[in-house]
Amino acid sequence: MDFENLPDSVTVVEEGEKRFFLVGTAHVSLESVEDVRRTVEIVRPDSICVELCPARHQAMTRRDDWKRMDIYKVIKEGKAVFLMVQLVLQAFYRKIGDKLGVQPGAEMMEGVRLAQETGATLVLADRDVQVTLKRVWGFLGFWKKFQLLSQLLASVFVDDDVDKELIEDLKKKDELAAIMGSFAENFPQIKERLIDERDIYLAQKIRKAPGTNIVAVVGAGHVPGMQKYFGQEIDLAPLEELPPPSRWGVFWKWGLPGFFVALLVIGFFRGGADASMDAISVWVLVTGIGAALGSLAAFGHPLTVLSSFLAAPITTLHPLIAAGWVAGLVQAWVKKPTVSDLEDLPMSVMTVKGFWINPVSRILLVVIFANLGATIGVFVSGSWIASMVF
């Protein structure tokens, strides 16, 4: 078979009787779409692998799934932050597509289409995006998480325009890597989980694809790293494990209530019942006001603001409940999203203003901001009470 006319973006790797054609693509390039088409036409592969996981594949092929989203379930399962990140990423991709005339991931969808058209086996070769994000997040220390969140919030809510330099980066790299690239310079752990681990994962999944001629559509930035892992048998189970709970998380859930109770006991022995009541009052007012201000910043309903105030003093001492969850459920109850709101959600989040206008995204903002306000209230009130006691 003559493979001389393959596009320059194709790297051929042989392993035994198998031959792999790695199409190194740019995620926002019409040329990459054509490269995928030409490669499949020349190779006529048994399998076509794409750098998508089932969740991302579903999101790209079933865009009306928003209509069936259960916002109450999202809040109760503690997935509001992950949904917010997903919305931000989708809005970002849509902006890129509007500027360049091609939607990011078009070359992946071309691979999916050609697999259906030619009868080749479709292999979704990437690791689940939720596992990747949780591994990135879970292996960061407390202060690194705080720094990363601060930078993400600043990048999302400060500037509506897509940076030209980032667009150029997206033309050359994996889309997740390009978006997180500026963070990876300050957080080496991000590169390890986001790029290096996925190089291994993609290579192993592609190696296992059925047939002898396999076309793999992957970001160009992955190709050099993936080549090192062909011919090796690597167990992927460790790369799919979620990180264990951090020590800070355990302390926050269980140590904080104990610390507060200890302060009350010490305060009682040093200053009597009045001192303990003063400490309780500080805790109730400061954590309650913090959560209420968070809900107010998200333009929550007055009942939502009130529920935030009432819930925060209790939920900040309860390891399994968060003030934002209570506030979000109340907001969803008083301003129940309609089917139309869910349909408009992807377009609404194209702008910062849209986040506050759409009832669905406003619920998510209520959850996040109420939790943030309650957390700040914990630090402020805890320091205040400690100074009163000692």
Side-chain angles (χ1 to χ4, degrees):
M1 192 176 293
D2 183 14
F3 299 126
E4 292 182 0
N5 294 321
L6 286 169
D8 293 337
S9 60
V10 176
T11 300
V12 181
V13 178
E14 295 187 6
E15 181 181 320
E17 297 181 353
K18 285 192 169 187
R19 190 182 284 114
F20 304 94
F21 300 84
L22 310 181
V23 188
T25 68
H27 292 288
V28 287
S29 169
L30 286 172
E31 291 180 7
S32 289
V33 177
E34 180 59 29
D35 285 353
V36 172
R37 191 178 299 124
R38 281 182 55 201
T39 304
V40 171
E41 182 180 322
I42 293 171
V43 174
R44 288 177 290 178
D46 303 302
S47 295
I48 298 177
C49 306
V50 293
E51 186 194 323
L52 292 174
C53 66
R56 289 174 69 193
H57 174 258
Q58 179 175 315
M60 296 177 75
T61 56
R62 296 170 53 183
R63 298 183 183 275
D64 62 344
D65 274 3
W66 293 111
K67 302 176 187 179
R68 295 183 287 274
M69 182 177 66
D70 185 344
I71 191 65
Y72 294 98
K73 184 178 179 181
V74 169
I75 297 170
K76 290 176 181 178
E77 293 181 355
K79 295 181 178 178
V81 173
F82 282 104
L83 178 57
M84 179 66 83
V85 170
Q86 185 179 356
L87 286 171
V88 170
L89 290 177
Q90 285 200 357
F92 177 85
Y93 296 155
R94 193 181 293 268
K95 289 178 185 178
I96 293 287
D98 290 345
K99 283 182 176 287
L100 300 179
V102 56
Q103 284 300 321
E107 82 287 5
M108 299 296 166
M109 292 310 300
E110 182 66 8
V112 172
R113 186 189 71 79
L114 288 170
Q116 296 172 338
E117 184 179 287
T118 63
T121 301
L122 176 65
V123 177
L124 303 177
D126 203 1
R127 181 172 63 184
D128 185 272
V129 64
Q130 294 289 342
V131 173
T132 295
L133 292 176
K134 287 178 179 179
R135 283 182 67 83
V136 168
W137 178 256
F139 285 104
L140 291 175
F142 177 80
W143 290 113
K144 289 292 185 181
K145 287 179 180 177
F146 180 78
Q147 293 171 17
L148 179 59
L149 272 180
S150 300
Q151 291 188 34
L152 282 172
L153 286 172
S155 66
V156 170
F157 293 112
V158 171
D159 187 8
D160 259 359
D161 294 326
V162 177
D163 185 82
K164 291 182 180 179
E165 185 177 337
L166 187 53
I167 290 177
E168 292 302 314
D169 217 17
L170 269 168
K171 291 179 181 179
K172 304 171 187 175
K173 297 181 179 178
D174 172 274
E175 56 188 338
L176 286 174
I179 294 169
M180 301 294 285
S182 59
F183 304 121
E185 295 177 4
N186 299 321
F187 309 100
Q189 304 95 322
I190 288 181
K191 178 181 180 299
E192 180 184 350
R193 312 297 173 191
L194 197 64
I195 307 300
D196 300 341
E197 288 186 353
R198 287 173 62 224
D199 286 347
I200 300 171
Y201 198 94
L202 286 165
Q204 295 302 304
K205 284 289 186 179
I206 292 167
R207 287 181 64 243
K208 301 296 185 182
T212 54
N213 288 323
I214 293 99
V215 168
V217 185
V218 297
H222 279 298
V223 174
M226 289 171 56
Q227 287 180 268
K228 298 183 294 185
Y229 301 108
F230 281 90
Q232 300 183 42
E233 198 70 37
I234 300 175
D235 182 13
L236 294 181
L239 300 183
E240 295 177 322
E241 293 177 355
L242 296 182
S246 68
R247 288 174 294 179
W248 275 105
V250 174
F251 169 77
W252 189 258
K253 286 184 176 181
W254 302 101
L256 184 63
F259 179 69
F260 178 67
V261 171
L263 286 178
L264 289 181
V265 172
I266 295 171
F268 177 80
F269 282 108
R270 288 194 172 190
D274 290 341
S276 294
M277 289 305 299
D278 288 343
I280 293 173
S281 298
V282 168
W283 183 269
V284 170
L285 288 173
V286 176
T287 58
I289 290 173
L293 289 175
S295 292
L296 196 61
F299 293 170
H301 188 275
L303 284 178
T304 302
V305 176
L306 178 61
S307 68
S308 302
F309 178 83
L310 295 175
I314 300 171
T315 58
T316 48
L317 295 174
H318 196 293
L320 303 177
I321 305 176
W325 300 357
V326 176
L329 290 171
V330 173
Q331 179 69 24
W333 175 64
V334 296
K335 291 288 185 180
K336 186 175 181 179
T338 65
V339 173
S340 176
D341 295 329
L342 291 166
E343 291 175 341
D344 293 341
L345 184 59
M347 291 301 298
S348 297
V349 298
M350 290 284 287
T351 64
V352 172
K353 180 181 179 181
F355 268 100
W356 271 263
I357 293 178
N358 186 283
V360 183
S361 51
R362 186 185 297 177
I363 291 169
L364 300 177
L365 288 174
V366 164
V367 174
I368 294 170
F369 284 4
N371 278 338
L372 181 61
T375 300
I376 294 173
V378 167
F379 282 109
V380 173
S381 59
S383 301
W384 190 347
I385 295 170
S387 66
M388 292 167 55
V389 171
F390 299 107

